[in-house]
């Protein structure tokens, strides 16, 4: 199954080369690599690859077609028509798709674990946070990092009992935690809840998200994490679902996005940047990359032709939740369902950040030997 999965042409390189490289990875699992040997993912529905379906089965739209139809040809436990940002990033770094933590059959954690859960927040309603958010799943960022710590303890406890660590593809190697890439993309649910539920002053919401992310990075650093990728928050004021919820009297900019909503998010993103710069200076040996998904989304909206998007559909969703039917060309859309992104959008973002060194600081500086090198 693994070889068949990676025999697809991603549009980033020669099909046969990708198959060969993946086969070599299967044959030589202990071969040292220049890039991260594993990915550990924390977040919400923008990164969830199956946790919410395992925790709350038969309740999610992502369990039905047309979700997953573009790439997988079937529902794939993702809130998209295809792959997510973490999927493209893993591929580009020479890793397979990262299995969810709650996967209970044939889980393969040799290349990392995905702890992200749909509906998760950065704010921790169980720890006295002042966000006052209701209706969220019980897996805030703190719970996810705690699950990582428990997973690491369990892996380390099995090390001495494994017949051969090199041949055990189901669990990370002993050095994977120190050589892994730690991916954090969270805060959208906090923001949207603040906008829609008016649960707390937005300054409080911003402060709690920043506090939670900073705490998570420090705790993961104490567990050997050294390489981080943190995404800021995209312009929710341009999300079709939020636009549909607001009246025509709400102020909008020249792109028809909600001015106040995006202003709050820009303020948060600037604060996040400063917070990560501070951590970068004080966490010795760490590299903290910040991905500016906010600006990429704005650029895709204002210059859709650069990415093959339909200029008349930049603020429209491909999938209609009321009819549960999708458009015929998801690749022409930025938004899949009004809140989440299409496979095409995620593809373009990862190409820009990895191979053109745009929308990410510091850059990745991938070499010519990268598995997912663009054509």
């Amino acid at each position: 199954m693994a070889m068949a999965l990676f025999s697809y042409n991603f549009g980033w390189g020669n099909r046969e080369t990708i198959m060969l490289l993946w086969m070599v990875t299967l044959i030589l699992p202990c071969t040292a690599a220049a890039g991260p040997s594993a990915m550990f993912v924390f977040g919400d529905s923008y990164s969830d690859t199956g946790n919410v379906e395992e925790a709350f089965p038969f309740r999610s739209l992502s369990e039905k077609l047309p979700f997953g139809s573009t790439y997988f040809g079937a529902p794939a436990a993702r809130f998209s028509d295809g792959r997510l940002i973490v999927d493209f990033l893993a591929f580009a770094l020479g890793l397979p798709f990262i299995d969810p933590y709650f996967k209970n059959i044939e889980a393969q954690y040799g290349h990392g674990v995905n702890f992200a859960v749909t509906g998760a927040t950065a704010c921790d309603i169980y720890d006295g946070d002042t966000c006052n958010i209701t209706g969220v799943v019980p897996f805030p960022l703190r719970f996810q990092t705690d699950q990582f710590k428990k997973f690491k303890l369990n892996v380390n406890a099995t090390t001495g009992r494994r017949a051969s660590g090199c041949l055990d593809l189901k669990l990370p190697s002993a050095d994977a935690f120190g050589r892994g890439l730690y991916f954090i993309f969270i805060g959208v649910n906090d923001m949207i809840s603040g906008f829609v539920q008016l649960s707390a002053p937005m300054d409080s919401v911003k402060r709690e998200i920043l506090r939670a992310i900073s705490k998570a990075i420090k705790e993961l650093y104490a567990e050997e994490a050294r390489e981080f990728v943190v995404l800021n928050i995209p312009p929710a004021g341009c999300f079709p679902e939020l636009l549909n919820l607001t009246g025509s009297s709400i102020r909008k900019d020249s792109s028809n996005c909600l001015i106040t909503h995006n202003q709050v998010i820009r303020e948060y993103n600037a604060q996040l940047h400063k917070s990560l710069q501070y951590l970068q200076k004080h966490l010795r040996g760490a590299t903290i990359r910040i991905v500016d998904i906010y600006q990429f989304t704005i650029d895709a909206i204002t210059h859709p032709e650069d990415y093959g998007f339909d200029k008349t559909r930049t603020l429209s969703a491909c999938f209609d939740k009321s009819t549960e039917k999708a458009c015929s060309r998801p690749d022409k859309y930025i938004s899949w369902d009004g809140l989440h992104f299409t496979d095409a959008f995620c593809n373009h973002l990862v190409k820009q950040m990895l191979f053109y060194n745009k929308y990410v600081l510091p850059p990745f500086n991938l070499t010519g030997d990268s598995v997912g090198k663009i054509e």
Side-chain angles (χ1 to χ4, degrees):
M1 290 296 292
M3 284 193 290
L5 180 62
F6 279 82
S7 68
Y8 286 96
N9 188 339
F10 281 72
W12 292 4
N14 181 272
R15 182 178 186 270
E16 291 74 17
T17 300
I18 294 170
M19 272 197 71
L20 178 60
L21 287 167
W22 180 234
M23 289 171 67
V24 170
T25 302
L26 288 177
I27 296 169
L28 299 173
C30 289
T31 301
S37 59
M39 275 182 64
F40 300 98
V41 181
F42 307 87
D44 49 32
S45 55
Y46 292 93
S47 306
D48 186 353
T49 57
N51 283 317
V52 79
E53 289 189 12
E54 297 292 347
F56 307 102
F58 313 122
R59 287 171 171 79
S60 172
L61 274 175
S62 64
E63 296 180 81
K64 307 175 184 178
L65 283 170
F67 284 76
S69 58
T70 293
Y71 176 74
F72 300 98
R78 290 157 169 81
F79 277 84
S80 174
D81 60 306
R83 295 153 291 185
L84 308 177
I85 294 168
V86 290
D87 294 322
F88 284 105
L89 182 58
F91 169 74
L93 297 176
L95 301 173
F97 294 145
I98 309 301
D99 273 352
Y101 181 62
F102 293 156
K103 186 173 183 178
N104 51 32
I105 297 177
E106 296 183 350
Q108 301 289 330
Y109 297 137
H111 294 283
V113 187
N114 189 330
F115 297 92
V117 184
T118 296
T121 56
C123 292
D124 186 353
I125 61 174
Y126 306 99
D127 193 31
D129 281 2
T130 58
C131 296
N132 297 321
I133 297 173
T134 60
V136 298
V137 300
F139 299 103
L141 181 58
R142 179 173 67 89
F143 283 27
Q144 295 178 31
T145 54
D146 283 349
Q147 288 167 340
F148 166 81
K149 294 176 195 176
K150 179 64 174 176
F151 175 79
K152 186 185 174 198
L153 282 172
N154 291 341
V155 169
N156 289 339
T158 67
T159 301
R161 299 198 300 268
R162 289 190 237 174
S164 173
C166 284
L167 297 179
D168 190 347
L169 296 177
K170 293 185 178 181
L171 294 176
S173 61
D175 65 347
F177 298 106
R179 294 185 56 239
L181 180 67
Y182 292 75
F183 180 97
I184 301 173
F185 183 14
I186 200 163
V188 177
N189 290 325
D190 306 76
M191 281 289 183
I192 291 178
S193 295
F195 291 140
V196 176
Q197 296 179 1
L198 302 176
S199 54
M202 291 310 296
D203 284 344
S204 295
V205 174
K206 290 185 288 184
R207 182 172 58 252
E208 295 293 357
I209 301 173
L210 291 168
R211 185 173 73 90
I213 291 176
S214 178
K215 181 180 178 182
I217 290 175
K218 290 175 183 176
E219 291 187 358
L220 292 171
Y221 179 85
E223 296 289 337
E224 301 183 73
R226 291 297 180 270
E227 187 168 356
F228 298 87
V229 171
V230 182
L231 276 70
N232 63 14
I233 293 181
C238 301
F239 287 178
E241 185 151 321
L242 276 186
L243 289 169
N244 290 336
L245 289 174
T246 58
S248 58
S249 61
I250 302 297
R251 288 196 310 139
K252 298 176 182 176
D253 61 20
S254 58
S255 296
N256 213 31
C257 296
L258 301 171
I259 292 176
T260 302
H261 292 61
N262 284 350
Q263 177 60 36
V264 170
I265 294 172
R266 282 196 302 271
E267 292 170 357
Y268 162 80
N269 286 342
Q271 293 168 358
L272 176 66
H273 188 76
K274 289 181 180 179
S275 175
L276 296 181
Q277 284 183 319
Y278 175 85
L279 290 173
Q280 177 70 74
K281 290 179 180 178
H282 290 83
L283 297 180
R284 185 176 179 181
T287 299
I288 304 175
R289 292 184 172 87
I290 183 167
V291 176
D292 193 356
I293 190 174
Y294 181 98
Q295 191 57 51
F296 176 73
T297 307
I298 293 296
D299 290 348
I301 290 171
T302 54
H303 303 287
E305 64 281 357
D306 291 349
Y307 308 101
F309 298 129
D310 185 339
K311 65 181 180 181
T312 68
R313 297 287 183 266
T314 56
L315 300 182
S316 300
C318 172
F319 175 75
D320 187 336
K321 291 180 180 178
S322 64
T323 63
E324 296 192 7
K325 295 185 182 299
C327 64
S328 60
R329 292 290 304 274
D331 61 307
K332 296 294 182 181
Y333 285 71
I334 292 171
S335 179
W336 165 243
D337 60 1
L339 289 175
H340 304 96
F341 299 112
T342 59
D343 179 286
F345 176 93
C346 297
N347 188 354
H348 286 300
L349 172 59
V350 175
K351 283 183 182 179
Q352 290 294 315
M353 60 187 260
L354 288 186
F355 305 118
Y356 297 104
N357 292 329
K358 295 181 66 176
Y359 308 105
V360 58
L361 286 174
F364 276 88
N365 293 323
L366 293 183
T367 67
D369 296 328
S370 300
V371 173
K373 183 173 174 59
I374 195 168
E375 291 181 335

